[in-house]
Amino acid sequence: RWHRRHSDGTVHAHIHGARPHLHAMLHAPPDQAHAHAHESGGAHAHAHGDRAHAHDEQAGADIVLFEKHLEHVPGGDGGAAGGGCSARWVQYAAHPVFGASVGFCLLFLTVLDNSTLVTAYLQFRGLDPALLGLARTADAAVGLLGTLAYPHLARALGSVEAAALFSVWAFWLSLAPAGVALAAVGQTRAADEWLLACMVGARASLWSFDLAHTQAMQQRVHETERGAINACQASLSQALSVLVQLGALGWHRPAQFGLLLYASLVAVLAAALVYSAWYYTTVCTAVARCAAPPAAARQPLLPAADR
């Protein structure tokens, strides 16, 4: 195990040898946050000060194994509790994961989820109930394939955030042909079958994105804040689901289902764009700050006697 001491007084250990890296301040004063990158290209941030940690080289990704935690974290759930619900929403909006969370919630603003609403429409259009039931079964099976593929995708792309970015765009691209088919041939049997096939095929990327986003939230949100952050995320996603039902009440005629379909495609595209903006402004910015540190910023290893 190698130890490294920085000019700011922080000391941490690497169980697979010391690697050059740089601490960069992110979203908090020096005593509350710092981030660093490794030669492997991965980067991560400690949101509330320095912590002893190690990296699991077997995982193929930067998984931080915390060995100690701070007993008190400023701005955690305890601080928000005194301010009530509004304080928690302020905490949620100010958190660095807010953009990623909004992108995730926007995926609830869609009818293209093989739910009862779209099933009722397709049954009204004359599709065999047995076919709809088979599609539900295939929907679950394809989703399981997405969960199996996710670890390999995260390992190949180098981070869970990159896997989430890939998955959310794959989800939109999987659904887009349904809109193209409806625009090309109108409300026909062929367009209905394309819609059903696209919803089933898109399930793999949706489940992959869900796993990647959940893991990213666990890694980026301190345990003292997770209750408030996840509660706000769940509330926002359910509120958007209610908007879908209200939209269905307004456009309740089967002939108007195309409006719901196109609105759903716009919502999924917005989710992909919002997540992409968060990824490039938060994740890529952190990596860019840490990837090429000046030579003066790299501190020498401690003497062998101190290791």
Side-chain angles (χ1 to χ4, degrees):
R1 176 173 296 198
W2 297 74
H3 293 77
R4 182 175 291 279
R5 185 186 301 276
H6 292 268
S7 59
D8 60 3
T10 60
V11 178
H12 55 265
H14 301 268
I15 62 175
H16 295 286
R19 301 177 178 182
H21 61 277
L22 173 68
H23 287 264
M25 308 317 301
L26 293 176
H27 307 295
D31 62 339
Q32 294 183 21
H34 66 271
H36 61 267
H38 294 271
E39 285 181 335
S40 62
H44 61 267
H46 303 276
H48 299 285
D50 61 300
R51 305 174 183 178
H53 64 280
H55 294 268
D56 184 2
E57 299 290 336
Q58 302 293 328
D62 288 312
I63 300 178
V64 181
L65 309 174
F66 293 113
E67 297 174 353
K68 69 176 182 178
H69 301 276
L70 299 182
E71 295 182 358
H72 172 69
V73 179
D77 281 350
C85 181
S86 60
R88 294 182 183 275
W89 280 101
V90 171
Q91 178 187 2
Y92 173 59
H95 201 282
V97 301
F98 177 68
S101 181
V102 170
F104 172 80
C105 292
L106 283 171
L107 294 183
F108 287 79
L109 191 60
T110 176
V111 299
L112 303 179
D113 54 359
N114 215 356
S115 64
T116 54
L117 184 61
V118 69
T119 299
Y121 166 75
L122 292 175
Q123 191 167 3
F124 176 87
R125 291 283 307 156
L127 265 65
D128 188 350
L131 178 61
L132 297 177
L134 181 62
R136 285 291 185 92
T137 303
D139 191 79
V142 173
L144 288 176
L145 291 178
T147 64
L148 295 175
Y150 161 67
H152 304 284
L153 182 63
R155 188 176 297 114
L157 296 179
S159 70
V160 296
E161 293 85 0
L165 180 66
F166 177 89
S167 298
V168 72
W169 278 106
F171 181 57
W172 184 78
L173 291 174
S174 298
L175 292 175
V180 174
L182 182 62
V185 299
Q187 289 184 311
T188 62
R189 178 63 179 255
D192 297 338
E193 292 175 349
W194 265 107
L195 172 60
L196 192 61
C198 288
M199 289 190 298
V200 172
R203 216 61 180 176
S205 52
L206 176 62
W207 285 28
S208 175
F209 175 76
D210 182 76
L211 285 174
H213 174 70
T214 301
Q215 184 173 348
M217 292 286 285
Q218 290 175 340
Q219 293 178 350
R220 290 178 170 271
V221 180
H222 194 270
E223 62 263 24
T224 60
E225 297 179 298
R226 286 175 190 159
I229 300 301
N230 288 328
C232 291
Q233 176 178 275
S235 298
L236 179 58
S237 62
Q238 293 305 312
L240 294 178
S241 296
V242 171
L243 288 181
V244 172
Q245 304 307 318
L246 292 177
L249 287 175
W251 294 327
H252 59 276
R253 298 175 182 175
Q256 296 174 317
F257 184 82
L259 298 176
L260 295 174
L261 187 151
Y262 291 126
S264 298
L265 290 177
V266 170
V268 176
L269 177 60
L273 292 173
V274 169
Y275 195 91
S276 298
W278 172 82
Y279 179 85
Y280 287 110
T281 57
T282 302
V283 179
C284 291
T285 299
V287 173
R289 289 177 179 175
C290 304
R298 296 186 177 184
Q299 303 297 324
L301 294 176
L302 292 176
D306 295 334
R307 294 173 187 167

